[in-house]
PDB file of all heavy atoms in Angstrom:
ATOM      1  N   ARG A  22      -2.483  10.888  -5.861  1.00 86.00           N
ATOM      2  CA  ARG A  22      -2.568   9.770  -6.803  1.00 86.00           C
ATOM      3  C   ARG A  22      -1.373   9.915  -7.875  1.00 86.00           C
ATOM      4  O   ARG A  22      -1.146   8.980  -8.537  1.00 86.00           O
ATOM      5  CB  ARG A  22      -3.938   9.826  -7.544  1.00 86.00           C
ATOM      6  CG  ARG A  22      -5.006   9.123  -6.690  1.00 86.00           C
ATOM      7  CD  ARG A  22      -6.258   8.748  -7.475  1.00 86.00           C
ATOM      8  NE  ARG A  22      -6.964   9.899  -7.857  1.00 86.00           N
ATOM      9  CZ  ARG A  22      -7.972  10.416  -7.183  1.00 86.00           C
ATOM     10  NH1 ARG A  22      -8.266   9.862  -5.932  1.00 86.00           N
ATOM     11  NH2 ARG A  22      -8.675  11.458  -7.567  1.00 86.00           N
ATOM     12  N   ARG A  23      -0.864  11.142  -7.886  1.00 88.00           N
ATOM     13  CA  ARG A  23       0.282  11.358  -8.741  1.00 88.00           C
ATOM     14  C   ARG A  23       1.598  10.831  -8.168  1.00 88.00           C
ATOM     15  O   ARG A  23       2.673  11.017  -8.773  1.00 88.00           O
ATOM     16  CB  ARG A  23       0.461  12.823  -9.184  1.00 88.00           C
ATOM     17  CG  ARG A  23      -0.849  13.326 -10.000  1.00 88.00           C
ATOM     18  CD  ARG A  23      -0.677  12.834 -11.415  1.00 88.00           C
ATOM     19  NE  ARG A  23      -1.780  13.220 -12.182  1.00 88.00           N
ATOM     20  CZ  ARG A  23      -2.008  12.771 -13.468  1.00 88.00           C
ATOM     21  NH1 ARG A  23      -1.237  11.874 -13.968  1.00 88.00           N
ATOM     22  NH2 ARG A  23      -3.116  13.117 -14.153  1.00 88.00           N
ATOM     23  N   MET A  24       1.550  10.423  -6.945  1.00 86.00           N
ATOM     24  CA  MET A  24       2.743  10.049  -6.216  1.00 86.00           C
ATOM     25  C   MET A  24       2.801   8.631  -5.692  1.00 86.00           C
ATOM     26  O   MET A  24       1.753   8.029  -5.403  1.00 86.00           O
ATOM     27  CB  MET A  24       2.896  11.030  -4.956  1.00 86.00           C
ATOM     28  CG  MET A  24       3.085  12.473  -5.328  1.00 86.00           C
ATOM     29  SD  MET A  24       3.363  13.402  -3.838  1.00 86.00           S
ATOM     30  CE  MET A  24       3.799  15.116  -4.590  1.00 86.00           C
ATOM     31  N   GLY A  25       3.947   8.051  -5.760  1.00 84.00           N
ATOM     32  CA  GLY A  25       4.189   6.770  -5.077  1.00 84.00           C
ATOM     33  C   GLY A  25       5.226   7.033  -3.982  1.00 84.00           C
ATOM     34  O   GLY A  25       6.191   7.833  -4.182  1.00 84.00           O
ATOM     35  N   ALA A  26       5.056   6.444  -2.787  1.00 84.00           N
ATOM     36  CA  ALA A  26       5.978   6.777  -1.652  1.00 84.00           C
ATOM     37  C   ALA A  26       6.186   5.553  -0.742  1.00 84.00           C
ATOM     38  O   ALA A  26       5.316   4.752  -0.565  1.00 84.00           O
ATOM     39  CB  ALA A  26       5.368   7.991  -0.836  1.00 84.00           C
ATOM     40  N   VAL A  27       7.446   5.539  -0.141  1.00 83.00           N
ATOM     41  CA  VAL A  27       7.734   4.626   0.915  1.00 83.00           C
ATOM     42  C   VAL A  27       8.197   5.598   2.073  1.00 83.00           C
ATOM     43  O   VAL A  27       9.135   6.352   1.839  1.00 83.00           O
ATOM     44  CB  VAL A  27       8.889   3.714   0.511  1.00 83.00           C
ATOM     45  CG1 VAL A  27       9.161   2.839   1.766  1.00 83.00           C
ATOM     46  CG2 VAL A  27       8.527   2.825  -0.656  1.00 83.00           C
ATOM     47  N   PHE A  28       7.552   5.563   3.199  1.00 81.00           N
ATOM     48  CA  PHE A  28       7.887   6.381   4.308  1.00 81.00           C
ATOM     49  C   PHE A  28       8.773   5.604   5.220  1.00 81.00           C
ATOM     50  O   PHE A  28       8.778   4.376   5.312  1.00 81.00           O
ATOM     51  CB  PHE A  28       6.655   6.872   5.029  1.00 81.00           C
ATOM     52  CG  PHE A  28       5.831   7.782   4.131  1.00 81.00           C
ATOM     53  CD1 PHE A  28       4.626   7.360   3.559  1.00 81.00           C
ATOM     54  CD2 PHE A  28       6.229   9.077   3.883  1.00 81.00           C
ATOM     55  CE1 PHE A  28       3.894   8.182   2.804  1.00 81.00           C
ATOM     56  CE2 PHE A  28       5.453   9.999   3.032  1.00 81.00           C
ATOM     57  CZ  PHE A  28       4.301   9.517   2.609  1.00 81.00           C
ATOM     58  N   GLN A  29       9.571   6.374   6.030  1.00 77.00           N
ATOM     59  CA  GLN A  29      10.436   5.791   7.001  1.00 77.00           C
ATOM     60  C   GLN A  29       9.728   4.953   7.980  1.00 77.00           C
ATOM     61  O   GLN A  29      10.085   3.864   8.404  1.00 77.00           O
ATOM     62  CB  GLN A  29      11.223   6.847   7.670  1.00 77.00           C
ATOM     63  CG  GLN A  29      12.419   6.384   8.570  1.00 77.00           C
ATOM     64  CD  GLN A  29      13.248   7.537   9.104  1.00 77.00           C
ATOM     65  OE1 GLN A  29      12.959   8.625   8.905  1.00 77.00           O
ATOM     66  NE2 GLN A  29      14.222   7.203   9.827  1.00 77.00           N
ATOM     67  N   THR A  30       8.520   5.408   8.391  1.00 78.00           N
ATOM     68  CA  THR A  30       7.617   4.678   9.307  1.00 78.00           C
ATOM     69  C   THR A  30       6.516   4.038   8.533  1.00 78.00           C
ATOM     70  O   THR A  30       5.425   4.469   8.476  1.00 78.00           O
ATOM     71  CB  THR A  30       7.079   5.597  10.420  1.00 78.00           C
ATOM     72  OG1 THR A  30       6.388   6.751   9.724  1.00 78.00           O
ATOM     73  CG2 THR A  30       8.141   6.097  11.214  1.00 78.00           C
ATOM     74  N   PHE A  31       6.953   2.906   7.772  1.00 81.00           N
ATOM     75  CA  PHE A  31       5.948   2.333   6.835  1.00 81.00           C
ATOM     76  C   PHE A  31       4.969   1.434   7.646  1.00 81.00           C
ATOM     77  O   PHE A  31       5.278   1.071   8.810  1.00 81.00           O
ATOM     78  CB  PHE A  31       6.677   1.433   5.775  1.00 81.00           C
ATOM     79  CG  PHE A  31       7.538   0.477   6.354  1.00 81.00           C
ATOM     80  CD1 PHE A  31       7.119  -0.780   6.640  1.00 81.00           C
ATOM     81  CD2 PHE A  31       8.933   0.707   6.561  1.00 81.00           C
ATOM     82  CE1 PHE A  31       7.980  -1.827   7.228  1.00 81.00           C
ATOM     83  CE2 PHE A  31       9.800  -0.230   7.066  1.00 81.00           C
ATOM     84  CZ  PHE A  31       9.286  -1.489   7.452  1.00 81.00           C
ATOM     85  N   MET A  32       3.905   1.002   6.994  1.00 83.00           N
ATOM     86  CA  MET A  32       2.880   0.209   7.651  1.00 83.00           C
ATOM     87  C   MET A  32       3.051  -1.284   7.312  1.00 83.00           C
ATOM     88  O   MET A  32       3.368  -1.530   6.231  1.00 83.00           O
ATOM     89  CB  MET A  32       1.500   0.711   7.306  1.00 83.00           C
ATOM     90  CG  MET A  32       1.127   2.085   7.944  1.00 83.00           C
ATOM     91  SD  MET A  32       1.014   1.875   9.803  1.00 83.00           S
ATOM     92  CE  MET A  32      -0.342   0.726   9.991  1.00 83.00           C
ATOM     93  N   SER A  33       2.646  -2.053   8.256  1.00 83.00           N
ATOM     94  CA  SER A  33       2.416  -3.531   7.987  1.00 83.00           C
ATOM     95  C   SER A  33       1.030  -3.802   8.368  1.00 83.00           C
ATOM     96  O   SER A  33       0.579  -3.706   9.480  1.00 83.00           O
ATOM     97  CB  SER A  33       3.402  -4.371   8.856  1.00 83.00           C
ATOM     98  OG  SER A  33       3.369  -4.059  10.203  1.00 83.00           O
ATOM     99  N   TYR A  34       0.268  -4.275   7.307  1.00 85.00           N
ATOM    100  CA  TYR A  34      -1.232  -4.527   7.474  1.00 85.00           C
ATOM    101  C   TYR A  34      -1.546  -6.017   7.743  1.00 85.00           C
ATOM    102  O   TYR A  34      -0.834  -6.862   7.146  1.00 85.00           O
ATOM    103  CB  TYR A  34      -1.963  -3.967   6.262  1.00 85.00           C
ATOM    104  CG  TYR A  34      -1.809  -2.521   5.952  1.00 85.00           C
ATOM    105  CD1 TYR A  34      -0.822  -2.109   5.098  1.00 85.00           C
ATOM    106  CD2 TYR A  34      -2.613  -1.609   6.629  1.00 85.00           C
ATOM    107  CE1 TYR A  34      -0.730  -0.767   4.813  1.00 85.00           C
ATOM    108  CE2 TYR A  34      -2.424  -0.258   6.369  1.00 85.00           C
ATOM    109  CZ  TYR A  34      -1.488   0.133   5.442  1.00 85.00           C
ATOM    110  OH  TYR A  34      -1.271   1.503   5.190  1.00 85.00           O
ATOM    111  N   ASP A  35      -2.497  -6.277   8.494  1.00 83.00           N
ATOM    112  CA  ASP A  35      -2.905  -7.660   8.817  1.00 83.00           C
ATOM    113  C   ASP A  35      -3.749  -8.108   7.580  1.00 83.00           C
ATOM    114  O   ASP A  35      -5.041  -8.279   7.694  1.00 83.00           O
ATOM    115  CB  ASP A  35      -3.646  -7.808  10.053  1.00 83.00           C
ATOM    116  CG  ASP A  35      -2.711  -7.654  11.272  1.00 83.00           C
ATOM    117  OD1 ASP A  35      -1.613  -8.212  11.252  1.00 83.00           O
ATOM    118  OD2 ASP A  35      -3.061  -6.939  12.234  1.00 83.00           O
ATOM    119  N   LEU A  36      -3.181  -8.155   6.385  1.00 87.00           N
ATOM    120  CA  LEU A  36      -3.819  -8.542   5.112  1.00 87.00           C
ATOM    121  C   LEU A  36      -2.952  -9.603   4.561  1.00 87.00           C
ATOM    122  O   LEU A  36      -1.899  -9.948   4.994  1.00 87.00           O
ATOM    123  CB  LEU A  36      -4.050  -7.349   4.313  1.00 87.00           C
ATOM    124  CG  LEU A  36      -4.740  -6.093   4.749  1.00 87.00           C
ATOM    125  CD1 LEU A  36      -4.581  -4.958   3.748  1.00 87.00           C
ATOM    126  CD2 LEU A  36      -6.243  -6.465   4.905  1.00 87.00           C
ATOM    127  N   THR A  37      -3.468 -10.142   3.433  1.00 90.00           N
ATOM    128  CA  THR A  37      -2.594 -11.131   2.671  1.00 90.00           C
ATOM    129  C   THR A  37      -1.451 -10.403   2.091  1.00 90.00           C
ATOM    130  O   THR A  37      -1.363  -9.210   1.988  1.00 90.00           O
ATOM    131  CB  THR A  37      -3.356 -11.891   1.628  1.00 90.00           C
ATOM    132  OG1 THR A  37      -3.715 -10.811   0.621  1.00 90.00           O
ATOM    133  CG2 THR A  37      -4.640 -12.479   2.200  1.00 90.00           C
ATOM    134  N   ALA A  38      -0.377 -11.227   1.685  1.00 92.00           N
ATOM    135  CA  ALA A  38       0.777 -10.600   1.048  1.00 92.00           C
ATOM    136  C   ALA A  38       0.359  -9.808  -0.168  1.00 92.00           C
ATOM    137  O   ALA A  38       0.828  -8.681  -0.454  1.00 92.00           O
ATOM    138  CB  ALA A  38       1.758 -11.708   0.675  1.00 92.00           C
ATOM    139  N   ALA A  39      -0.551 -10.521  -0.961  1.00 93.00           N
ATOM    140  CA  ALA A  39      -1.016  -9.801  -2.192  1.00 93.00           C
ATOM    141  C   ALA A  39      -1.765  -8.467  -1.908  1.00 93.00           C
ATOM    142  O   ALA A  39      -1.530  -7.437  -2.610  1.00 93.00           O
ATOM    143  CB  ALA A  39      -1.864 -10.752  -3.069  1.00 93.00           C
ATOM    144  N   GLU A  40      -2.535  -8.488  -0.910  1.00 92.00           N
ATOM    145  CA  GLU A  40      -3.251  -7.291  -0.519  1.00 92.00           C
ATOM    146  C   GLU A  40      -2.331  -6.197  -0.044  1.00 92.00           C
ATOM    147  O   GLU A  40      -2.509  -4.994  -0.215  1.00 92.00           O
ATOM    148  CB  GLU A  40      -4.374  -7.672   0.544  1.00 92.00           C
ATOM    149  CG  GLU A  40      -5.488  -8.417  -0.089  1.00 92.00           C
ATOM    150  CD  GLU A  40      -6.467  -8.961   0.965  1.00 92.00           C
ATOM    151  OE1 GLU A  40      -6.034  -9.189   2.105  1.00 92.00           O
ATOM    152  OE2 GLU A  40      -7.634  -9.160   0.642  1.00 92.00           O
ATOM    153  N   ASN A  41      -1.402  -6.651   0.772  1.00 91.00           N
ATOM    154  CA  ASN A  41      -0.450  -5.683   1.273  1.00 91.00           C
ATOM    155  C   ASN A  41       0.297  -4.899   0.201  1.00 91.00           C
ATOM    156  O   ASN A  41       0.557  -3.709   0.387  1.00 91.00           O
ATOM    157  CB  ASN A  41       0.615  -6.359   2.196  1.00 91.00           C
ATOM    158  CG  ASN A  41       0.330  -6.223   3.716  1.00 91.00           C
ATOM    159  OD1 ASN A  41       0.589  -5.231   4.351  1.00 91.00           O
ATOM    160  ND2 ASN A  41      -0.230  -7.331   4.235  1.00 91.00           N
ATOM    161  N   ILE A  42       0.573  -5.552  -0.885  1.00 93.00           N
ATOM    162  CA  ILE A  42       1.183  -4.872  -2.025  1.00 93.00           C
ATOM    163  C   ILE A  42       0.096  -4.154  -2.897  1.00 93.00           C
ATOM    164  O   ILE A  42       0.287  -2.977  -3.297  1.00 93.00           O
ATOM    165  CB  ILE A  42       1.915  -5.893  -2.888  1.00 93.00           C
ATOM    166  CG1 ILE A  42       3.049  -6.480  -2.075  1.00 93.00           C
ATOM    167  CG2 ILE A  42       2.477  -5.213  -4.153  1.00 93.00           C
ATOM    168  CD1 ILE A  42       3.735  -7.640  -2.687  1.00 93.00           C
ATOM    169  N   GLY A  43      -1.005  -4.868  -3.185  1.00 92.00           N
ATOM    170  CA  GLY A  43      -2.017  -4.323  -4.125  1.00 92.00           C
ATOM    171  C   GLY A  43      -2.668  -3.058  -3.646  1.00 92.00           C
ATOM    172  O   GLY A  43      -3.068  -2.225  -4.490  1.00 92.00           O
ATOM    173  N   ILE A  44      -2.735  -2.857  -2.325  1.00 90.00           N
ATOM    174  CA  ILE A  44      -3.472  -1.560  -1.999  1.00 90.00           C
ATOM    175  C   ILE A  44      -2.665  -0.349  -2.260  1.00 90.00           C
ATOM    176  O   ILE A  44      -3.140   0.790  -2.130  1.00 90.00           O
ATOM    177  CB  ILE A  44      -3.792  -1.607  -0.351  1.00 90.00           C
ATOM    178  CG1 ILE A  44      -2.482  -1.821   0.364  1.00 90.00           C
ATOM    179  CG2 ILE A  44      -4.759  -2.726  -0.007  1.00 90.00           C
ATOM    180  CD1 ILE A  44      -2.629  -1.730   1.953  1.00 90.00           C
ATOM    181  N   GLY A  45      -1.471  -0.500  -2.765  1.00 88.00           N
ATOM    182  CA  GLY A  45      -0.740   0.681  -3.268  1.00 88.00           C
ATOM    183  C   GLY A  45      -1.421   1.269  -4.477  1.00 88.00           C
ATOM    184  O   GLY A  45      -1.172   2.528  -4.716  1.00 88.00           O
ATOM    185  N   ASP A  46      -2.328   0.512  -5.161  1.00 89.00           N
ATOM    186  CA  ASP A  46      -3.003   1.076  -6.247  1.00 89.00           C
ATOM    187  C   ASP A  46      -4.306   0.259  -6.267  1.00 89.00           C
ATOM    188  O   ASP A  46      -4.601  -0.790  -6.895  1.00 89.00           O
ATOM    189  CB  ASP A  46      -2.243   0.900  -7.559  1.00 89.00           C
ATOM    190  CG  ASP A  46      -2.991   1.572  -8.741  1.00 89.00           C
ATOM    191  OD1 ASP A  46      -3.873   2.261  -8.478  1.00 89.00           O
ATOM    192  OD2 ASP A  46      -2.526   1.348  -9.866  1.00 89.00           O
ATOM    193  N   LEU A  47      -5.393   0.786  -5.519  1.00 86.00           N
ATOM    194  CA  LEU A  47      -6.616   0.042  -5.245  1.00 86.00           C
ATOM    195  C   LEU A  47      -7.321  -0.478  -6.483  1.00 86.00           C
ATOM    196  O   LEU A  47      -7.794  -1.592  -6.446  1.00 86.00           O
ATOM    197  CB  LEU A  47      -7.478   0.918  -4.420  1.00 86.00           C
ATOM    198  CG  LEU A  47      -7.309   0.918  -2.897  1.00 86.00           C
ATOM    199  CD1 LEU A  47      -8.313   1.842  -2.169  1.00 86.00           C
ATOM    200  CD2 LEU A  47      -7.444  -0.519  -2.299  1.00 86.00           C
ATOM    201  N   PRO A  48      -7.278   0.368  -7.582  1.00 88.00           N
ATOM    202  CA  PRO A  48      -7.968  -0.165  -8.788  1.00 88.00           C
ATOM    203  C   PRO A  48      -7.428  -1.497  -9.264  1.00 88.00           C
ATOM    204  O   PRO A  48      -8.021  -2.274 -10.009  1.00 88.00           O
ATOM    205  CB  PRO A  48      -7.898   1.006  -9.820  1.00 88.00           C
ATOM    206  CG  PRO A  48      -7.813   2.190  -8.962  1.00 88.00           C
ATOM    207  CD  PRO A  48      -6.979   1.776  -7.813  1.00 88.00           C
ATOM    208  N   ALA A  49      -6.067  -1.712  -8.957  1.00 88.00           N
ATOM    209  CA  ALA A  49      -5.355  -2.880  -9.442  1.00 88.00           C
ATOM    210  C   ALA A  49      -5.172  -3.921  -8.335  1.00 88.00           C
ATOM    211  O   ALA A  49      -4.362  -4.834  -8.514  1.00 88.00           O
ATOM    212  CB  ALA A  49      -4.001  -2.456 -10.027  1.00 88.00           C
ATOM    213  N   LEU A  50      -5.991  -3.798  -7.238  1.00 88.00           N
ATOM    214  CA  LEU A  50      -5.880  -4.687  -6.131  1.00 88.00           C
ATOM    215  C   LEU A  50      -5.910  -6.209  -6.525  1.00 88.00           C
ATOM    216  O   LEU A  50      -5.171  -7.056  -6.007  1.00 88.00           O
ATOM    217  CB  LEU A  50      -6.895  -4.392  -5.083  1.00 88.00           C
ATOM    218  CG  LEU A  50      -6.930  -5.244  -3.799  1.00 88.00           C
ATOM    219  CD1 LEU A  50      -5.608  -5.177  -3.060  1.00 88.00           C
ATOM    220  CD2 LEU A  50      -8.027  -4.852  -2.867  1.00 88.00           C
ATOM    221  N   GLY A  51      -6.815  -6.445  -7.477  1.00 87.00           N
ATOM    222  CA  GLY A  51      -6.923  -7.912  -7.846  1.00 87.00           C
ATOM    223  C   GLY A  51      -6.108  -8.288  -9.019  1.00 87.00           C
ATOM    224  O   GLY A  51      -6.247  -9.403  -9.521  1.00 87.00           O
TER     225      GLY A  51
END
């Protein structure tokens, strides 16, 4: 939780655009 990261093999999720970004910090998803 102390780290933010982008990995070379990043994921693309079958979610909305907002959810694809928001899940980077679940408490702030909405």
Side-chain angles (χ1 to χ4, degrees):
R22 282 196 286 272
R23 295 284 178 191
M24 295 185 171
V27 178
F28 295 105
Q29 188 173 6
T30 53
F31 57 87
M32 286 296 298
S33 55
Y34 298 98
D35 290 317
L36 302 171
T37 66
E40 289 170 332
N41 260 284
I42 296 171
I44 57 175
D46 188 7
L47 276 178
L50 178 61

